[in-house]
Every structure is written in structure tokens, then in C-alpha cells.
Amino acid sequence: MAQDTAQQATAAPARALLPLILPALVVGVGASLLLVGVSAAAEALQHVLWQNLPDALGIGRYSVLWTIVMLTATGVAVGLVVWKVPGHAGPDPATMSLDAPVLPPAVLPGLLLATALMLAGGPSLGPENPIIAVNVGLAFWLGCRLLPRVPGGVWAALAEAATIGALFGTPVAAALVISEALAGRQLKGALWDNVFAPLAAAAAGAVTTTLVADPTFDLHLPALGRPGWGDLLAALVIASAAALLGMCAVRAFPYVHGGFARLRHPMLALPVGGLVLGLLGALGGHLTLFKGLDEVGEIAADPDGWTAGEFATMAVVKLAALLVAASCGFRGGRIFPAVFVGVAFGLCAHALVPAVHPAVGVAAGVLGILLAITRQGWVSLFTAAVLVSSPAIIALLCIASLPAWLLVTGRPQMQLRADGTPVR
């Protein structure tokens, strides 16, 4: 991702990198503001659709009827955008990852609209993939016109890093993604010459989001003291089991996507997908709707408030909803709903075996699911660790990631090529 920034480096890398600082800061602030703006607009619309409107109609919020109607209607609305809006809201989201292509400017308004409607309507996807794609497209288009001497790949790298920093509220997440993207490449200059400008963009994006929106990922679970052998065993078992659960969805992904693709039109695939999501939401309850970041805080606030069966139901339903939403054409990312699945899975383990510390169960569950869904090792470790804010958990997670990684590496990913075959 940051490889093009290295091409600016010469025998005097500092002199080459200094001119990139101001563009990086501007891109970082802009990427964050776009993310915060779209999220705020989606939250306002969500409040209208899921609170004001059912109250005015005398229908219970999150009732079975309203859940099915709203998810189906969201499929219709997004289907209209994909069908009629110029650019058709971008390429098939099943082919998209965090490393976004540069999309033409005409595609970006439709992609933003489809993303906002999805976030407000309740499908189990997050904003990360489409927002990264929009920021990359905008940065590339504006940057190449305002500063044509800067290679286009630099703008894409800055925008991607900035958006990841803004999403997580810290540049560390972007630095980890960049390091994975650069692994195995022949770099020109030192590693920090390559990551300098993207890291500056990520820092600007993270600080802007923190000042404007004050995001937090800490679930405020009971603190883990000195870990013991039982904690290590629990982390190993839960992370591996969660990775296997995630791989079930990964294995099913091309088949579910192929089933929706046979409908051959967004005004069929998306409403049908919305209907299926409505039925899943009615089964799993309102906590299994939406991207899952707010909902995961609710279930983590009371680790003993649900039975093991209820936690297991939420985990399976959310994973199925993620699979359907990602397959039928909704624009969105998979990290945040996967986090909900991992938290519910870890709390299920705690409910089954009370000796399993909630923080260990949650962190290991999130680690395993994210390894399977994203195949991003560093981001999976980072996300799992920040959810519990316990330094003692990091060593356990590093060890637990090893067998979980052996279960997922080299196997199909939850991403498809244009011809529908899985990416490995």
C-alpha cells in the first residue's frame, strides 16, 4: 500500500519525505470527516427508521414485523441505488477488501448513498470497505489534479491509511495493515521511509475522529489479573474454535454469493437478501442487527446476562447475517460484525465454563473469527487486544493466534475474484 511513497525517497530521504507531510495531514483530516459525516447521517436515519417511524405507526420497535419490513425495504432502497444511480455503487462488494481500487469519481456518490442506507437499515456490515474506496477515489482524483508531480499511488496509500486510522481511532491499526501489505516486497529505503507519509495520514485521521466523535473500543470487561495456565488453555481452545466457526462462513461464501448472483438483477438479489436478513434478525433479536459496534458493548456490559444458548444463537445468527449481507450485494465491510460474532462466541464460552475469564473468552473469540474472516493477523491481534484493554492478555493472544492461524492460512478467503472463484 505504501510502496509508492518509497519512490519519493532518494539518497536524502528526509528531503523527499518532508513535502508529503502536508498532503498526508490534509488527506487524514478529510478522510476522517467523511467517515464521521456518513456515520452521523446514517445514525440519524437509523433513529428515524427504527424509533420515530414505528412509534408514529404504533408498531413495536424491533418487532418481528418491523424487522422484516425494514430489512426488506433496505434491500429495495439499496437495490434502486445499485440499479439506477450512475456507477451502480461500485464493483461487486464480494470482490472488495481493505486494499481498495481507485474508482472513477462518478461512482463515489452512489457508493456513499448505498453505504449510508445500509448502515441505517440494519444489514450486518460495517462502513470500512466502501468508505476506504470513496476516500481513495477522492484523494486520487483531487491529488492528481492539485499536485500532479506526486505519483497517484501515493494518494491511494495516504487515503487508505487515513481511513483505517480514523475507523479505529489510532494510527497503530493503519501501521499494522501497512506492515502486512509491505511484507514480502522489495522496498526502496528503510521501512519507516515507506510508512512515514501513510502513518502521518493515519495519525491525522485518528486524531480528527477522536476530537470529533470520541470513539472507544474498550468493552470495560472485568480486568484480567495475572494469567494462569487455565487462561492460556482457554485462549488456545476458544481462538481455534472461533477460527473454525469463521471458516464455515468463508467456505459457504462462494456458494451463497453464487445463489444470489443467479437472480441476475440488484432489484431481485438485494430485496431477497434483505428479506433473509429480516428473518435472521427476527430470530436473533435486535442485537444481531446493524454493524454491531454499539450492540457488542451492550452484551459485554453484562457477561452473565444471557445463557450460553442465547450467546450461541446470537453468534451464529450474526455470522449468517454477515454471510448473506456480504453475498447479496449490500455495500459494506466485515470487520465490525465479525467482532460481534467473536464477542458473543467468547461470552458463550464463559457461560458454558464460568472459570473462563470473560476478557479471555472475548479476546480469543474475536481473534479467531477475525483471522478467519479478514486473514489480517496483526489487525486481528490488535482488535482483540484493544477490546479488553488488559496488557496481560497480549501474550495469551500471541500464543493463541498460532494454532488458529494454522487452521486458516492457505485456505480460501472471504473475498472473491471477478469470476466468482475464492481468493486464497
Side-chain angles (χ1 to χ4, degrees), residues 66-399:
W66 192 249
T67 298
I68 294 173
V69 167
M70 277 308 309
L71 268 298
T72 305
T74 300
V76 173
V78 176
L80 284 170
V81 173
V82 175
W83 180 27
K84 290 295 187 181
V85 173
H88 306 290
D92 184 350
T95 65
M96 300 282 285
S97 68
L98 293 179
D99 188 11
V102 178
L103 301 176
V107 175
L108 307 184
L111 180 56
L112 274 180
L113 179 58
T115 303
L117 291 172
M118 181 278 300
L119 290 172
S124 293
L125 292 172
E128 57 273 20
N129 289 11
I131 296 297
I132 288 174
V134 171
N135 278 330
V136 166
L138 286 174
F140 181 88
W141 184 70
L142 292 172
C144 289
R145 279 154 181 77
L146 297 176
L147 294 173
R149 293 185 179 180
V150 178
V154 172
W155 297 110
L158 294 180
E160 187 172 337
T163 311
I164 294 172
L167 279 163
F168 288 93
T170 170
V172 175
L176 295 175
V177 172
I178 293 168
S179 68
E180 283 200 269
L182 293 177
R185 297 183 185 178
Q186 286 191 337
L187 304 180
K188 296 181 179 180
L191 173 64
W192 278 92
D193 290 341
N194 288 264
V195 304
F196 181 87
L199 192 58
V207 170
T208 303
T209 300
T210 300
L211 293 175
V212 174
D214 192 25
T216 179
F217 286 85
D218 186 4
L219 297 179
H220 304 290
L221 290 165
L224 174 67
R226 182 180 178 181
W229 292 108
D231 296 318
L232 176 59
L233 177 61
L236 288 166
V237 172
I238 294 170
S240 298
L244 290 174
L245 176 63
M247 285 305 298
C248 292
V250 173
R251 288 287 188 180
F253 186 48
Y255 302 103
V256 177
H257 178 270
F260 283 107
R262 292 188 186 94
L263 298 177
R264 297 182 179 277
H265 199 285
M267 286 305 294
L268 289 175
L270 281 156
V272 170
L275 174 60
V276 175
L277 291 174
L279 295 171
L280 287 170
L283 175 63
H286 74 278
L287 292 175
T288 60
L289 301 174
F290 306 105
K291 64 182 179 182
L293 196 57
D294 294 331
E295 292 73 21
V296 81
E298 188 171 340
I299 64 172
D302 188 8
D304 300 310
W306 288 268
T307 66
E310 289 171 327
F311 280 127
T313 299
M314 286 190 281
V316 172
V317 168
K318 187 69 172 182
L319 186 61
L322 167 60
L323 174 61
V324 171
S327 299
C328 69
F330 283 109
R331 272 55 181 168
R334 299 150 201 162
I335 292 178
F336 294 120
V339 167
F340 181 97
V341 176
V343 171
F345 187 87
L347 292 177
C348 174
H350 167 69
L352 282 172
V353 184
V356 173
H357 195 284
V360 174
V362 164
V366 170
L367 172 66
I369 285 289
L370 286 180
L371 285 175
I373 298 296
T374 70
R375 219 56 59 87
Q376 296 269 351
W378 284 122
V379 170
S380 301
L381 275 167
F382 169 79
T383 305
V386 298
L387 289 173
V388 300
S389 294
S390 175
I393 204 77
I394 296 176
L396 295 180
L397 293 178
C398 288
I399 298 172

Side-chain angles (χ1 to χ4, degrees), residues 14-35:
R15 193 165 56 202
L17 293 174
L18 280 173
L20 295 176
I21 294 178
L22 182 58
L25 297 179
V26 172
V27 170
V29 173
S32 173
L33 292 178
L34 186 140
L35 168 66

